[in-house]
Amino acid sequence: MGSQARAASRYCDPSPIFGEVAPEVIEDTLIHLAAENEQYLSELSDRAGCFKETRTVEFIFLLSEKWHLDQSARYQAVELLERFMIKQVEQICESSRENVKSLEQGQGSSRSSLKDQIYDTFVLRLVSCIQLASKLSLHYNVVNSDTALKFLQSLKYSYTKQELLESELTVLKSLHFQINVSTPLAYVELLLEVLGHNGFLLPAKPLHQMCLQLLDFSYLIRDSIYDTLLKVAIENSTPSKLQVAKFLTVKEDFMLLAVGIISTSVFILNPGHWKQVVEHLNCITGITSQSILEFSYAVLKHIVGSTTPEQHYGNCGTKAPENRILSLK
């Protein structure tokens, strides 16, 4: 009975279970995520991040909470919407290039019509992305058509169930059915697993919970955090257009985001272990201690206006290695 009770409580607890994954599985998964991250950055659209503005992210987070979705679903929905909308914008640009040699009225209105359609269906597509994200976690709640339709009708939209299903299919086709994308949360949880395997003994559950809160925070004020990070990295309050453009890969780097979130969480919960964790994260990911420090500084600056991590690291007597971000100067 005791083992059955423990199994039942474990099944009901939505928190991940750390310390029960074989080392070879951890290593393979880490290699896979690192490669996936590098490939994503190498193929990055120059429009990346345009659809992660605060109001959109907050809308998705609130809907996910209303529908009792797990944490990963909310991040997955944000990423799906972002990638889908970029495809839509690229379609508009392609249409413009095809018609650029002609100024006929019909062609111009065709481009305007596509823009209007994207604008008019944005909330529908957002809901579809949440629905798709919910279906990737089958052991949690799935947002069915009735639930989604009821919500849209409460906003005075008159979509039918058929239009809702067609919207999901539109997103799927646009993304070539590749919707099971890794989110920053997957990177955070894997790195926490690696830290635990390497003997880092800070309790996993409160650290994981703090990471979730900071990841939400970082999504909600994303632009402000990365604006601070850029200015810190280049040591200049007025970055050039070239520096901003080159910084896009930093803003979209999920591995950097994950190590920054873990570093900041450890600093808040147990600053005495912070330097050790930063060094561990540097060894695991290859991201320099300086980059991790600067990310933690940027996050904490927007939480409490603190400069403590930078001062704390400086007092350790360890010179941080040169940061890849600083090459933007």
Side-chain angles (χ1 to χ4, degrees), residues 123-193:
V123 174
L124 174 63
R125 303 301 187 224
L126 183 150
V127 170
S128 294
C129 287
I130 296 177
Q131 282 187 276
L132 291 170
S134 75
K135 293 173 183 178
L136 294 172
S137 300
L138 296 180
H139 55 294
Y140 287 95
N141 292 325
V142 172
V143 181
N144 59 37
S145 297
D146 290 334
T147 300
L149 202 60
K150 183 178 179 181
F151 170 74
L152 288 167
Q153 289 172 348
S154 73
L155 298 181
K156 309 304 180 185
Y157 290 104
S158 56
Y159 294 115
T160 65
K161 186 174 290 188
Q162 181 63 30
E163 288 174 319
L164 197 59
L165 294 172
E166 289 174 355
S167 177
E168 282 191 83
L169 190 58
T170 297
V171 175
L172 285 169
K173 287 182 176 179
S174 181
L175 298 178
H176 306 293
F177 291 85
Q178 297 176 1
I179 63 170
N180 194 15
V181 297
S182 298
T183 69
L185 180 59
Y187 290 76
V188 167
E189 292 181 343
L190 179 63
L191 290 173
L192 289 178
E193 188 72 56

Side-chain angles (χ1 to χ4, degrees), residues 6-44:
R6 285 193 297 272
S9 63
R10 178 174 293 182
Y11 178 80
C12 294
D13 188 356
S15 301
I17 301 169
F18 293 101
E20 298 193 10
V21 181
E24 57 270 20
V25 175
I26 297 175
E27 183 177 358
D28 288 347
T29 307
L30 182 60
I31 292 171
H32 171 75
L33 282 183
E36 184 179 285
N37 189 53
E38 290 300 324
Q39 181 179 354
Y40 171 64
L41 294 176
S42 69
E43 301 170 350
L44 199 62

